[in-house]
Amino acid sequence: MEQEGIDPQWVWLLAGACLACAELFLPRRFLGWVGLAALAVGGVILAIFVPVSVQFLLFAFFLALSLGTAIWLRRRNSVLPAPVAAPPPRVRRTVGRRALVVEAIVDGAGRVELDDRIWAARGPYMVQGAEARILAVEGDTMVVGPAGRSRRR
């Protein structure tokens, strides 16, 4: 009596192809690796006959191998945070200096004068004519705080 039905290698190959295709529609970076393991088992049993119990052991082996490869690739290709660039020398020389508030800092915004240039400023409330200490430079804006004493012009 002849056995009817689909050969096991085609089941593994079909399952692997379906899982790999499912990865295209459900990109979770997992189903493709399971599909790859199933395709590997299908390839092995196409070449040599293997009992069903060994097929499942092969699947477990190939699954562990493919997931290990996935984890290794993910760690190898992980994006590390970019190193924070040191501020340019001009900014380093500016931080800590004193500037004159030429437009009162109200609601966190105003203007200060430093080296005969007017700069946008952010900081706490400060009256016009007050002296401010530069705490940081963000683009073209000086972040300032009170310097301690007032200076009139």
Side-chain angles (χ1 to χ4, degrees), residues 98 126 131-133 145-150:
R98 292 174 183 254
M126 298 176 86
E131 197 169 69
R133 179 175 302 280
R149 64 175 188 234
S150 180

Side-chain angles (χ1 to χ4, degrees), residues 61-84:
F61 170 75
F62 284 126
L63 182 60
L65 186 66
S66 67
L67 290 178
T69 302
I71 291 169
W72 177 76
L73 286 172
R74 186 172 184 181
R75 285 184 181 162
R76 183 174 156 243
N77 296 332
S78 68
V79 178
L80 298 175
V84 177

Side-chain angles (χ1 to χ4, degrees), residues 12-42:
W12 285 106
L13 291 171
L14 183 62
C18 287
L19 287 167
C21 286
E23 178 74 22
L24 296 173
F25 299 106
L26 305 168
R28 291 286 189 202
R29 298 185 183 132
F30 179 74
L31 291 176
W33 297 103
V34 178
L36 185 63
L39 287 171
V41 172

Side-chain angles (χ1 to χ4, degrees), residues 6-133:
I6 190 165
D7 291 332
Q9 67 266 21
W10 299 115
V11 173
W12 285 106
L13 291 171
L14 183 62
C18 287
L19 287 167
C21 286
E23 178 74 22
L24 296 173
F25 299 106
L26 305 168
R28 291 286 189 202
R29 298 185 183 132
F30 179 74
L31 291 176
W33 297 103
V34 178
L36 185 63
L39 287 171
V41 172
V44 167
I45 62 177
L46 261 177
I48 58 172
F49 174 75
V50 179
V52 174
S53 59
V54 177
Q55 291 175 23
F56 285 109
L57 289 174
L58 276 173
F59 179 70
F61 170 75
F62 284 126
L63 182 60
L65 186 66
S66 67
L67 290 178
T69 302
I71 291 169
W72 177 76
L73 286 172
R74 186 172 184 181
R75 285 184 181 162
R76 183 174 156 243
N77 296 332
S78 68
V79 178
L80 298 175
V84 177
R90 188 178 119 238
V91 171
R92 285 195 305 264
R93 288 190 304 263
T94 303
V95 173
R97 293 183 59 195
R98 292 174 183 254
L100 178 67
V101 176
V102 293
E103 181 183 305
I105 301 176
V106 179
D107 294 329
R111 296 198 178 277
V112 295
E113 180 182 344
L114 178 70
D115 296 334
D116 297 325
R117 288 192 61 199
I118 307 295
W119 296 86
R122 274 192 318 113
Y125 174 78
M126 298 176 86
V127 296
Q128 182 176 351
E131 197 169 69
R133 179 175 302 280

